[in-house]
């Protein structure tokens, strides 16, 4: 699968993930990204504006590799059902997770599924294309209906998901 060219600069991506996925406060995020609360608000506004433009991306259910396309489809389907055991069954035993500046390491040691399971803001995943690459778009209800708020990329190795980025 081709590498994803991320549309958001690192600070904007980190702010969106920390706020919209992990529900950190503006003050906590400011400390983590070495900014101010106002700077975080600005970064969130810029990032959400860019991500909102992803709403025009048409969903696709194909990738260059049919096996990878099926894994992506199953990942999205199971994730949306919050079937965490089903999602884990798609991953390698040594699968790695990297969430911006929040976590990097073994998926098994991460709070990834727990954070989504306890999220108070409704969300859903959808397959799409970003810069021509198959990717997963995270939609969250930010008070204005479901809007794109982040992206997830999966790397596949030997018929299993080996990395979640």
């Amino acid at each position: 699968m081709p590498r994803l060219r991320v549309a958001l600069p690192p600070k904007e991506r980190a702010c969106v993930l920390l706020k919209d996925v992990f529900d950190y406060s503006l003050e906590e995020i400011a400390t983590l990204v070495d900014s101010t609360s106002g700077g975080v608000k600005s970064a969130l506004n810029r990032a959400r504006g860019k991500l909102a433009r992803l709403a025009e991306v048409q969903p696709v259910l194909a990738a260059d590799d049919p096996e990878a396309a099926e894994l992506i489809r199953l990942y999205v389907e199971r994730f949306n059902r919050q079937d965490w055991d089903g999602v884990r069954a798609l991953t390698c035993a040594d699968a790695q997770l990297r969430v911006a500046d929040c976590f990097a390491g073994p998926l098994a040691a991460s709070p990834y599924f727990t954070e989504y399971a306890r999220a108070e803001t409704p969300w859903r995943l959808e397959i799409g294309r970003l810069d021509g690459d198959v990717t997963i778009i995270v939609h969250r209800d930010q008070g204005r209906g479901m809007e794109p708020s982040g992206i997830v990329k999966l790397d596949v190795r030997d018929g299993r998901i080996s990395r979640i980025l």
Side-chain angles (χ1 to χ4, degrees):
M1 179 179 280
R3 300 254 343 143
L4 174 66
R5 288 174 296 281
V6 178
L8 299 177
K11 182 177 179 179
E12 291 176 11
R13 187 171 55 246
C15 289
V16 166
L17 289 169
L18 289 167
K19 182 66 178 157
D20 295 342
V21 175
F22 293 103
D23 202 27
Y24 280 64
S25 71
L26 295 175
E27 294 77 21
E28 290 170 318
I29 298 169
T31 300
L32 291 168
V33 300
D34 195 28
S35 185
T36 63
S37 293
V40 169
K41 284 182 184 179
S42 294
L44 284 168
N45 187 47
R46 286 190 308 274
R48 288 174 177 157
K50 292 173 185 175
L51 290 168
R53 289 189 285 280
L54 291 177
E56 300 168 6
V57 173
Q58 294 298 314
V60 295
L61 292 175
D64 297 334
D65 177 354
E67 182 181 53
E70 180 63 6
L71 276 172
I72 292 168
R73 186 192 70 73
L74 288 170
Y75 179 91
V76 167
E77 176 185 290
R78 293 174 185 181
F79 212 99
N80 285 338
R81 287 194 328 246
Q82 296 190 24
D83 176 4
W84 309 127
D85 290 336
V87 174
R88 284 184 190 97
L90 302 173
T91 64
C92 299
D94 62 345
Q96 296 291 302
L97 172 69
R98 181 174 176 115
V99 179
D101 295 330
C102 302
F103 183 88
L107 176 63
S110 77
Y112 190 58
F113 300 120
T114 305
E115 292 296 330
Y116 272 100
R118 73 177 181 90
E120 294 177 14
T121 305
W123 55 265
R124 69 177 163 75
L125 303 184
E126 182 178 86
I127 300 171
R129 283 197 183 267
L130 181 61
D131 294 333
D133 295 332
V134 174
T135 190
I136 297 168
I137 302 169
V138 180
H139 295 267
R140 293 185 75 97
D141 186 344
Q142 304 296 338
R144 300 174 299 274
M146 296 301 266
E147 297 178 352
S149 67
I151 56 173
V152 175
K153 182 192 178 282
L154 304 178
D155 283 347
V156 175
R157 180 185 77 225
D158 300 327
R160 295 268 188 223
I161 296 168
S162 59
R163 286 193 316 164
I164 301 171
L165 305 165

